Amino acid sequence: MSAVPTLLVLDADPPPRLGRLTGRARVVHTGEDGLAARLPEADVLLVWDFTSCAVRAAWPGEGPRPRWVHTASAGVDHLMCPELVASDTVVTNARGVFDEPIAEYVAALVLAMAKDLPQTWELQQRREWRHRESLRVAGTHAVVVGSGPIGRAIARTLKALGVTTAVVGRVPRTGIHGPQDLDRLLARADWVIAAAPLTEQTHGMFDLRRFGVMQPSARFVNVGRGGLVVEDALVQALERRWIGGAALDVLATEPLPSDSPLWRVPGLLVSPHMSGDTVGWRDELGTQFVELFERWAAGRPLRNVVDKQRGYVPGH
């Protein structure tokens, strides 16, 4: 590759540290408003602002398009439009960065709900001494919906707590259940963890019927994508006590508006899409991209290549 390639960065604050690419790439930064105009000059697009849907809006425009798009996130639904899917552009994601942090976060939520820690905190604020009994985690059953590296990390971590765990994926294989087993597994699960990518097949999969299948004592956790859940159905399920509680780290609308009813639903924990964001996570994302860029510039095969039809990186 003779000419220095142009790297276009869809920025977020703080911007990525790309010092290792000095002299090896012409780095151009843009916000959402300038993206469409800058796309034709870019060889590579780094979607550092992975909360933005600007790529999906700008991609169908005129002129050439980058040969490679990398998003600093596990999910790619915010990028995909028919024109990008049909193009020769390679899409990669941040697979591998968030697996263990999200698994730890899920374990923390499971323990917090089992031990009723939110209620303990509320009672402390009121200086109210109220003894209760909490739940044992060991010996309970969990279903993890999503068989990618995040889902498998969650399963490993829950198993370490003594939880019997079943994983459900797009297709059945050794150690992984297929979608046809989901309802049966939900009916006996104490913990239901959504960690699937958002695709046409998974959109709205947790609806009123699915919450109705679950046990009244079951807890539901979503660390996948907000669109996996029909939020009105979850509200109904909690208010009618069809399930015992829920935690959402991802939501259909982010940031969650202050007037959203989700803030006030009994038995629901809401967190601001932070399950994978541990200290130093941005530096890790930047390092991952630089290493991928070095492979790309050397003509070596990229890792974390997304199947654009499926909407995720295939394979184990």
Side-chain angles (χ1 to χ4, degrees):
M1 192 175 295
S2 56
V4 174
T6 296
L7 167 60
L8 179 63
V9 182
L10 179 59
D11 257 341
D13 188 30
R17 297 182 180 180
L18 302 173
R20 278 171 55 183
L21 300 184
T22 300
R24 302 161 67 186
R26 172 178 171 258
V27 180
V28 178
H29 296 265
T30 186
E32 292 184 338
D33 293 343
L35 180 62
R38 292 284 197 176
L39 273 180
E41 68 183 272
D43 298 294
V44 179
L45 172 63
L46 168 58
V47 184
W48 190 248
D49 184 1
F50 53 81
T51 66
S52 172
C53 294
V55 175
R56 194 163 58 197
W59 195 271
E62 298 294 328
R65 289 294 178 259
R67 291 172 280 164
W68 168 35
V69 175
H70 177 78
T71 179
S73 61
V76 298
D77 51 281
H78 59 296
L79 301 178
M80 293 304 180
C81 62
E83 292 82 1
L84 175 53
V85 171
S87 73
D88 294 331
T89 296
V90 176
V91 176
T92 57
N93 71 354
R95 178 184 173 109
V97 172
F98 300 108
D99 305 355
E100 299 302 332
I102 291 177
E104 292 175 1
Y105 198 88
V106 169
L109 289 172
V110 166
L111 289 168
M113 288 190 280
K115 304 307 177 183
D116 200 22
L117 296 185
Q119 177 76 346
T120 296
W121 176 249
E122 291 179 10
L123 291 171
Q124 180 179 339
Q125 303 312 298
R126 301 200 298 264
R127 302 183 184 185
E128 183 175 343
W129 182 277
R130 187 192 304 172
H131 181 272
R132 292 104 63 217
E133 295 178 344
S134 64
L135 300 174
R136 284 289 305 273
V137 170
T140 59
H141 294 78
V143 175
V144 179
V145 182
S147 59
I150 291 174
R152 297 197 304 276
I154 292 170
R156 289 193 302 271
T157 303
L158 293 181
K159 286 177 182 177
L161 295 174
V163 180
T164 300
T165 307
V167 179
V168 178
R170 188 180 67 90
V171 294
R173 55 192 187 274
T174 303
I176 306 294
H177 294 269
Q180 68 275 9
D181 294 332
L182 179 57
D183 286 355
R184 174 179 60 82
L185 294 168
L186 290 180
R188 62 190 299 266
D190 301 292
W191 313 98
V192 178
I193 316 298
L198 184 61
T199 67
E200 291 183 4
Q201 290 72 37
T202 63
H203 190 279
M205 67 181 300
F206 290 100
D207 55 11
L208 204 59
R209 187 190 70 79
R210 283 261 162 74
F211 290 121
V213 169
M214 298 179 195
Q215 300 185 89
S217 59
R219 267 77 168 185
F220 173 77
V221 176
N222 187 13
V223 290
R225 304 298 284 176
L228 300 176
V229 178
V230 179
E231 290 176 350
D232 288 345
L234 176 59
V235 171
Q236 290 185 56
L238 289 167
E239 290 179 342
R240 297 174 183 178
R241 298 185 180 179
W242 289 1
I243 61 174
L248 299 178
D249 185 57
V250 288
L251 298 112
T253 301
E254 297 181 3
L256 186 65
S258 60
D259 60 352
S260 170
L262 293 174
W263 291 112
R264 301 180 297 278
V265 178
L268 177 61
L269 289 170
V270 173
S271 56
H273 204 149
M274 58 182 283
S275 60
D277 302 349
T278 53
V279 174
W281 66 286
R282 291 184 178 87
D283 289 341
E284 192 171 350
L285 287 171
T287 298
Q288 180 189 56
F289 172 74
V290 169
E291 291 174 352
L292 286 172
F293 186 94
E294 290 171 345
R295 293 181 66 90
W296 177 82
R300 299 165 62 196
L302 285 168
R303 300 190 181 102
N304 293 3
V305 175
V306 173
D307 183 321
K308 293 186 290 183
Q309 297 291 337
R310 296 182 184 180
Y312 55 88
V313 179
H316 285 19

